[in-house]
């Protein structure tokens, strides 16, 4: 089994303590725009580009966007972040093979994954298994995936899901506050991180230096930002601020109890 991207991420995590990933939604971004975003994001110091979206994304659209990104870089991995099993691309380096663990519908927990697995095999994509938990406002993805977002005032439920994910064998946990929504609180991040050893990814509504620093110092290992690259007139400066927040947060990081051993 390929482990190139996983090892790249764990190696960088062990050295830098926290990373940034840029999310590009092919429904909102064409190939030319994707090239521009990738160029600026890499210049600002992003560690990987994620490609995917919840609605209106086809395989052809994903192919186009990734081919654009690949023109810019061969060194920064492109990781699929699929909203459905028919929006996969053979041009990606890896896939977040995600299960929406708190969906109310088994299709989003294991059905879509079963449909997509043979395609992942055929395209020879590296698999990064990911427990995806939707919290708080949840946003569009919570409607699409028929998920009742976990309540922020009940951190014990969120922690229990994250821990269960680790025990089942997922390699990463993602706390999703919903694209463009209110970010997950640092209290939740700190609490979840005190229970799990696998890397913790946090996304949804992160737009400022302060928020990035706060989440990372509380224990987040990877921050994902998407909306900001769609809205900003100066992608480089906006991402540079967030990545600076991540680096400064990493210096204060309370819990680095990560199992970052390469496999
Ligand atoms: C969405 O967590 C990601 O899946 C990114 O959220 O678009 O708010 O940055 P934003």
């Amino acid at each position: 089994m390929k482990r190139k991207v996983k090892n790249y991420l764990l190696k960088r995590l062990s050295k830098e303590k926290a990373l940034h990933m840029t999310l590009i939604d092919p429904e909102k971004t064409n190939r030319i725009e994707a090239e521009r975003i990738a160029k600026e994001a890499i210049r600002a110091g992003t560690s990987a580009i994620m490609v995917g979206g919840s609605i209106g994304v086809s395989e052809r659209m994903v192919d186009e966007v990734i081919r654009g990104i690949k023109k810019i870089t061969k060194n920064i991995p492109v990781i699929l972040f699929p909203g459905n099993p028919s929006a996969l691309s053979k041009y990606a380096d890896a896939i977040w093979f995600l299960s929406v663990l708190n969906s109310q519908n088994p299709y989003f927990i294991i059905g879509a994954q079963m449909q997509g697995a043979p395609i992942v095999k055929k395209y020879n994509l590296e698999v990064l298994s990911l427990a995806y938990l939707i919290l708080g406002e949840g946003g569009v993805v919570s409607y699409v995936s028929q998920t009742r977002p976990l309540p922020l005032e009940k951190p014990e439920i969120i922690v229990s899901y994250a821990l269960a994910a680790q025990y089942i064998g997922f390699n990463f946990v993602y706390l999703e506050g919903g694209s463009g929504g209110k970010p997950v609180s640092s209290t939740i991040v700190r609490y979840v991180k005190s229970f799990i050893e696998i890397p913790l990814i946090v996304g949804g509504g992160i737009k400022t230096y302060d928020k990035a620093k706060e989440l990372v110092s509380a224990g987040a290992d990877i921050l994902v930002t998407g909306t900001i690259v769609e809205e900003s007139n100066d992608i480089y400066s906006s991402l540079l601020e967030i990545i600076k927040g991540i680096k400064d947060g990493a210096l204060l990081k309370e819990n680095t109890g990560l199992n970052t051993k390469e496999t």
Side-chain angles (χ1 to χ4, degrees), residues 24-35 64-65:
I24 297 180
D25 183 344
E27 199 270 325
K28 300 184 180 125
T29 311
N30 64 30
R31 179 179 174 155
I32 307 290
E33 289 158 351
E35 275 183 45
E64 277 299 293
V65 160

Side-chain angles (χ1 to χ4, degrees), residues 23 50 54 81 132 141 174-181 202-207 224-228 230:
L23 174 62
M50 292 166 46
S54 298
F81 189 47
Y132 191 61
V141 70
Y174 194 127
L175 301 183
E176 173 67 82
S179 182
V202 180
I206 303 165
K207 289 186 175 178
V224 178
T225 64
T227 301
I228 200 162
E230 290 159 13

